[in-house]
C-alpha cells in the first residue's frame, strides 16, 4: 500500500555516499513513492546541500541527516 502518494518526496544524495544508502534504506521501509536525485548532476543543488546530504525533502520541508526511522515517520506525518 502506498502512503502519501500525492505528495512529492525527494531524497537528495550522491553516488558512493554510505549515509545516503542508509537513508534510502530507511525511506524504502516506509513504502512511500519518492525520487532520488544526485546533487552532483545539478550545480545549484550541489551548492545548496553540499556536505549536508542526505536530505529528504517534501515541498519546502527538509529533513537533514542524521535521522532515524522515528524522525522519518514524524516527518511523513504518521
Amino acid at each position: 500500500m502506498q502512503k502519501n502518494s500525492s505528495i512529492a518526496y525527494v531524497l537528495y544524495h550522491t553516488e558512493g555516499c554510505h549515509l545516503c544508502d542508509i537513508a534510502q534504506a530507511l525511506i524504502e521501509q516506509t513504502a512511500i513513492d519518492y525520487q532520488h536525485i544526485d546533487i552532483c548532476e545539478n550545480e545549484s543543488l550541489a551548492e545548496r546541500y553540499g556536505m549536508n546530504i542526505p536530505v529528504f525533502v517534501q515541498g519546502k520541508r527538509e529533513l537533514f541527516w542524521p535521522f532515524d526511522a522515528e524522525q522519518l515517520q514524524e516527518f511523513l506525518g504518521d
Side-chain angles (χ1 to χ4, degrees), residues 15-59:
E15 289 296 317
C17 168
H18 74 283
L19 297 176
C20 299
D21 294 339
I22 296 168
Q24 183 173 352
L26 283 173
I27 294 164
E28 288 179 356
Q29 291 175 8
T30 67
I32 63 164
D33 289 327
Y34 74 99
Q35 57 183 158
H36 44 294
I37 296 175
D38 190 329
I39 65 166
C40 291
E41 296 174 1
N42 182 307
E43 187 176 327
S44 65
L45 289 176
E47 287 179 20
R48 181 173 181 169
Y49 294 114
M51 299 300 292
N52 294 316
I53 57 168
V55 180
F56 193 54
V57 175
Q58 187 267 316

